[in-house]
Amino acid sequence: MNPVSPPSTRGLLHDIPVESDNDEYGSGSADRELIEGDFTFRAVAVGLGVGVILCMTNIYFGLQTGWVSMMSLQSALLGFAIFKLLPHLPSLFPASRPLTPQENVVLQTTAVATGTMPLAAGLVGIIPALEMLTIKEDGREPIKLGYGSLVAWCLAVAFFGVFLAAPLRRQVIVKEKLVFPSGTATAQLISLLHKIPPPSKALKPSSTAYRRLPRTSRSVSPPERTVTEEAAIDRYDAVEKDSEVMKGSGWWALGWSFFASGSLTVLSFLFPIIFAIPIFDVCSAPFGASAAATWMWWFTPSLSYVGQGIIMGLAVTVSMNIGMLVGWAVLSPLSKHLGWAPGPVGSTTEGARGWILWVALAIMIAESIISLLPITISSASTLIRHYRQRSTGPRIFQPSSSPRSSNVTDDDYYDPLDENEDDDPEVEPPERLVPMSWIKVGLVSSSILGVGLVWAVFGKDGIHPWATALGLVLASMLSLIGVRALGETDLNPVSGIGKISQLLFAVLQPGNVVANIIAGGVAEAGAQQAGDLMQDLKTGHLLRASPRSQFYGQMIGSLASVFVSTAGYKFYTSTYQIPGPQFAVPSAGIWLNLARLLNNGHLPLHVIPFMISFGLIFAIISAIKAFKKYLPPYRWIDYLPSGIAFAVGFLNSPSFSIARLIGGYIAYRSAKNSRNGETPLLAIVVASGFVLGEGVLSIVTLTMASAGMKAVSCYGCEIGGGGYCSGGC
């Protein structure tokens, strides 16, 4: 589950007008020089190294809170920093030849493919859910896969999404020109790092859409400038300021934020009370209770979660904290005191945590289904229109002046669209594209491999081969919806896609909880992987990296991550109790509870009215937000909470949400103090350092814990009854 895809593009998308709406590069894309040699050993090698770091980071955060990010910006930053800080590399990394922007694209593409496998393979969701099965609830023992079986499962879902992304690129990037905010922001960051003009943001004095005022005219009184000119100058200044940041101060900020977050992570392992400060006991002491030990209310001063809040922004973190207050300050005590959840508050089976999780599930299902409606309608209408145009119109081939004039094949035609629709032919020559024959063979081969390996791993008691095949078909159908939603909003609705699959397979294989979870995971994996990789293809499209080189990087990264992700997951599960006090694995609870509901119909006492009420509320909110363009421009619509973020506030203990709110407020204040009203790039860089610092140093603490090392001191962990400190206490 990827409950919140953080809008990591904040502060980078400076919307500077360009000379021509049809010229995506601002200077004639057909005549633009193609940069060859982007697929290099050093780019792939460093990309794999960065990807391993991101993979372990995502396993850590995914098991802890369900938060997983593709981290394309961080990949580009880290990759560039490696080449910047190590000028005397071996001959395979010659210092005399700087890293090119196109190599950086391949580097971050490889890293993203490596780093996102924990989510695609369900290592932070469906695999822990299968390990949480019980004979009492599900009629069967937990399924705990060994290393070999887990590698086989990851191989089963590792490549289908990669082959799905390649053919979708031409439709959603070349023809429809969807924004893909994170991919566009990554392209702009890479352009800043390499000191090249921002893609699609060419600043030309001759442009009729944007006229750059001379430096000497900057002191002209405001009435002598138009609003458009003022806005354009502010945006231009923002780009110049970002360029200055990445020349010096940005790297110091990245290094110090990484060091601070990493140091705090190691200290929290040695002194666990640092990450579980019982400050809320002051409020509960008069009532003879410990808010921390009894109700899980403590404060975690985690810089990584502050960084996540900066990346997410204030609106998302406020929604998350409203959900946290409703779930943990209202519904949790209510269910406990009325006897609806008699077990310990932190229990996901008989405690209040498990009780409010059902309410969160209802909210997520309601918002996921409603939010998919507009994009589903749009996708269906687009496909129908293109089908009609293809069936009635001629097949039009590109003229000889096109860069694809050589080696023209049957795949070189494009659909004639109506005169009002902006459509460009493919700008890349055939030798830089992924051949359609590769895609066809790859889709068939990865499907056969997936069906066979899933059958081999889970056998007849798991899921039938035809059901796995149907899950892959469903993934291919829903991936277009997910990719288009991602391209327009930067949110990949994979959680909704997974739940739709679970609903379908509750009918096709009733009573089989295992099949329900696996089928949903297969469908979600393909759609999620296709969406995340499409962001990278957008980055490459803007910077003219070879799509075929990116495809190679995606395949190599996905293959490597099969073994890295499996080893990382096994490392964590052998060292820590999962689920446990430090790694609650909330995503697994969502998967398992929905499967149980659909197959067994068992729900905790009195939770149904709350599920229906909250589901209806957020279905209405989601519908208003989804169709707001048809409504009067009421300002209050923009202040409606996000249902997914609200539900995440239920899933995570309060400490994580509070830390994220601090980050959201920092982002808000930073944006308010900037000239263009956007979060500055420096804040994004600091947030990236915070996230990466804890993620990377968590590998060190994991190694220390696996070696048998314990906390130096557990002082403070027993205050108020204790029970909330982890790390060996």
Side-chain angles (χ1 to χ4, degrees):
M1 179 188 71
N2 191 6
V4 177
S5 291
S8 56
T9 61
R10 295 176 60 86
L12 291 177
L13 295 177
H14 305 295
D15 188 18
I16 301 172
V18 295
E19 182 173 8
S20 170
D21 292 336
N22 294 325
D23 185 358
E24 195 165 6
Y25 305 99
S27 59
S29 60
D31 300 325
R32 186 180 175 92
E33 179 184 0
L34 295 178
I35 307 297
E36 301 294 346
D38 47 12
F39 184 75
T40 61
F41 176 82
R42 65 178 187 170
V44 174
V46 175
L48 286 173
V50 172
V52 169
I53 295 174
L54 300 184
C55 180
M56 297 298 291
T57 299
N58 276 332
I59 293 176
Y60 173 79
F61 289 122
L63 292 175
Q64 200 167 66
T65 66
W67 186 85
V68 172
S69 172
M70 61 183 292
M71 294 194 182
S72 53
L73 289 173
Q74 289 84 349
S75 301
L77 272 172
L78 279 180
F80 187 84
I82 289 173
F83 285 93
K84 184 179 180 67
L85 298 176
L86 301 176
H88 304 293
L89 294 172
S91 58
L92 292 175
F93 304 88
S96 59
R97 182 165 60 90
L99 184 73
T100 67
Q102 290 71 32
E103 283 183 296
N104 203 340
V105 170
V106 174
L107 185 156
Q108 68 92 25
T109 299
T110 306
V112 169
T114 308
T116 55
M117 184 58 67
L119 178 61
L123 298 181
V124 297
I126 69 168
I127 297 301
L130 293 174
E131 295 180 358
M132 292 163 60
L133 295 171
T134 64
I135 296 178
K136 179 181 177 181
E137 294 281 345
D138 310 297
R140 64 172 303 156
E141 294 181 349
I143 298 178
K144 296 186 177 181
L145 302 179
Y147 182 83
S149 297
L150 200 54
V151 166
W153 159 254
C154 292
L155 283 171
V157 297
F159 305 111
F160 187 75
V162 178
F163 289 105
L164 273 180
L168 293 178
R169 169 193 168 275
R170 184 175 176 185
Q171 178 63 38
V172 298
I173 293 178
V174 179
K175 288 188 176 183
E176 297 183 33
K177 295 189 178 70
L178 297 186
V179 178
F180 288 97
S182 287
T184 301
T186 303
Q188 291 180 303
L189 176 64
I190 292 175
S191 70
L192 288 172
L193 294 173
H194 294 269
K195 302 177 184 179
I196 61 175
S200 301
K201 311 294 178 188
L203 303 176
K204 295 184 177 182
S206 61
S207 172
T208 58
Y210 168 70
R211 294 186 293 110
R212 168 90 195 283
L213 297 181
R215 281 290 193 188
T216 56
S217 69
R218 303 293 283 275
S219 60
V220 177
S221 59
E224 297 184 27
R225 294 188 192 158
T226 66
V227 175
T228 302
E229 288 171 339
E230 287 285 355
I233 290 173
D234 287 346
R235 294 179 185 126
Y236 186 87
D237 286 343
V239 173
E240 287 188 325
K241 187 175 181 180
D242 287 349
S243 299
E244 292 298 322
V245 165
M246 296 318 301
K247 287 180 181 178
S249 61
W251 296 113
W252 281 104
L254 181 66
W256 279 110
S257 60
F258 182 96
F259 175 78
S261 182
S263 300
L264 188 60
T265 302
V266 176
L267 281 175
S268 69
F269 175 82
L270 300 176
F271 305 93
I273 190 63
I274 292 177
F275 263 23
I277 303 174
I279 59 175
F280 298 104
D281 281 0
V282 176
C283 303
S284 62
F287 303 97
S290 169
T294 306
W295 300 103
M296 301 183 66
W297 275 84
W298 58 78
F299 177 58
T300 298
S302 167
L303 293 179
S304 67
Y305 288 98
V306 172
Q308 290 178 21
I310 295 174
I311 297 172
M312 292 175 179
L314 183 62
V316 173
T317 56
V318 167
S319 295
M320 196 177 296
N321 275 265
I322 294 174
M324 177 266 291
L325 288 172
V326 172
W328 291 92
V330 178
L331 296 182
S332 173
L334 183 69
S335 63
K336 176 70 172 179
H337 285 303
L338 294 179
W340 302 340
V345 170
S347 172
T348 57
T349 54
E350 298 180 346
R353 183 171 203 156
W355 195 92
I356 64 174
L357 187 131
W358 288 97
V359 182
L361 177 60
I363 295 171
M364 296 178 72
I365 292 176
E367 169 141 318
S368 297
I369 293 176
I370 297 299
S371 62
L372 283 173
L373 288 180
I375 201 69
T376 303
I377 295 171
S378 174
S379 299
S381 61
T382 300
L383 290 174
I384 292 172
R385 183 171 68 255
H386 286 186
Y387 174 78
R388 289 176 177 174
Q389 290 164 346
R390 173 176 289 190
S391 61
T392 58
R395 288 159 60 95
I396 300 177
F397 284 85
Q398 314 228 20
S400 58
S401 60
S402 168
R404 288 171 56 87
S405 58
S406 62
N407 302 322
V408 175
T409 67
D410 289 342
D411 193 36
D412 291 330
Y413 72 89
Y414 62 96
D415 296 328
L417 304 178
D418 60 67
E419 60 183 3
N420 296 320
E421 186 166 356
D422 183 18
D423 181 65
D424 278 353
E426 178 63 74
V427 297
E428 296 286 354
E431 61 270 15
R432 286 166 57 91
L433 295 173
V434 182
M436 185 57 68
S437 58
W438 293 13
I439 295 172
K440 293 176 180 178
V441 172
L443 286 173
V444 173
S445 301
S446 60
S447 299
I448 295 174
L449 179 69
V451 172
L453 288 177
V454 170
W455 175 255
V457 171
F458 295 101
K460 62 180 181 179
D461 295 331
I463 182 171
H464 297 303
W466 62 264
T468 304
L470 185 59
L472 293 172
V473 172
L474 194 62
S476 62
M477 294 171 58
L478 296 177
S479 63
L480 182 59
I481 297 173
V483 163
R484 184 167 279 110
L486 193 65
E488 295 177 358
T489 67
D490 213 29
L491 295 175
N492 195 345
V494 291
S495 60
I497 290 173
K499 291 170 182 58
I500 290 173
S501 303
Q502 284 188 275
L503 292 171
L504 176 62
F505 278 90
V507 177
L508 297 178
Q509 277 197 266
N512 192 331
V513 174
V514 175
N516 190 277
I517 294 174
I518 296 172
V522 168
E524 184 184 80
Q528 178 266 328
Q529 199 173 29
D532 284 351
L533 299 185
M534 196 63 64
Q535 294 272 25
D536 297 330
L537 291 174
K538 178 68 176 184
T539 302
H541 181 69
L542 292 174
L543 294 175
R544 296 310 302 273
S546 166
R548 188 179 294 191
S549 296
Q550 288 187 270
F551 173 78
Y552 293 151
Q554 291 169 351
M555 292 292 290
I556 293 172
S558 297
L559 178 61
S561 190
V562 166
F563 303 96
V564 174
S565 299
T566 301
Y569 177 76
K570 283 296 183 183
F571 206 178
Y572 272 99
T573 54
S574 63
T575 305
Y576 295 100
Q577 176 188 349
I578 296 178
Q582 188 167 354
F583 297 99
V585 204
S587 300
I590 289 290
W591 279 101
L592 182 57
N593 279 6
L594 180 56
R596 285 172 172 170
L597 174 63
L598 294 173
N599 289 278
N600 302 324
H602 176 71
L603 287 170
L605 293 174
H606 303 288
V607 77
I608 294 178
F610 291 89
M611 293 177 65
I612 295 174
S613 300
F614 279 90
L616 285 175
I617 290 172
F618 280 95
I620 294 171
I621 291 175
S622 181
I624 292 173
K625 293 166 69 175
F627 297 98
K628 71 175 183 178
K629 65 180 179 180
Y630 303 108
L631 301 173
Y634 298 122
R635 292 189 61 185
W636 55 265
I637 295 178
D638 296 330
Y639 296 99
L640 292 173
S642 162
I644 297 296
F646 187 90
V648 170
F650 282 53
L651 300 179
N652 298 157
S653 59
S655 57
F656 300 117
S657 298
I658 295 171
R660 284 167 172 162
L661 181 62
I662 295 172
Y665 181 74
I666 293 173
Y668 167 75
R669 295 298 303 177
S670 301
K672 194 172 182 179
N673 294 331
S674 65
R675 288 192 62 178
N676 62 347
E678 296 176 337
T679 306
L681 176 61
L682 184 62
I684 300 297
V685 171
V686 170
S688 300
F690 284 161
V691 173
L692 290 171
E694 182 168 335
V696 172
L697 269 296
S698 67
I699 303 173
V700 176
T701 59
L702 171 64
T703 305
M704 293 165 64
S706 65
M709 292 186 64
K710 301 290 184 179
V712 173
S713 172
C714 293
Y715 175 78
C717 287
E718 297 301 321
I719 296 176
Y724 45 84
C725 279
S726 59
C729 288

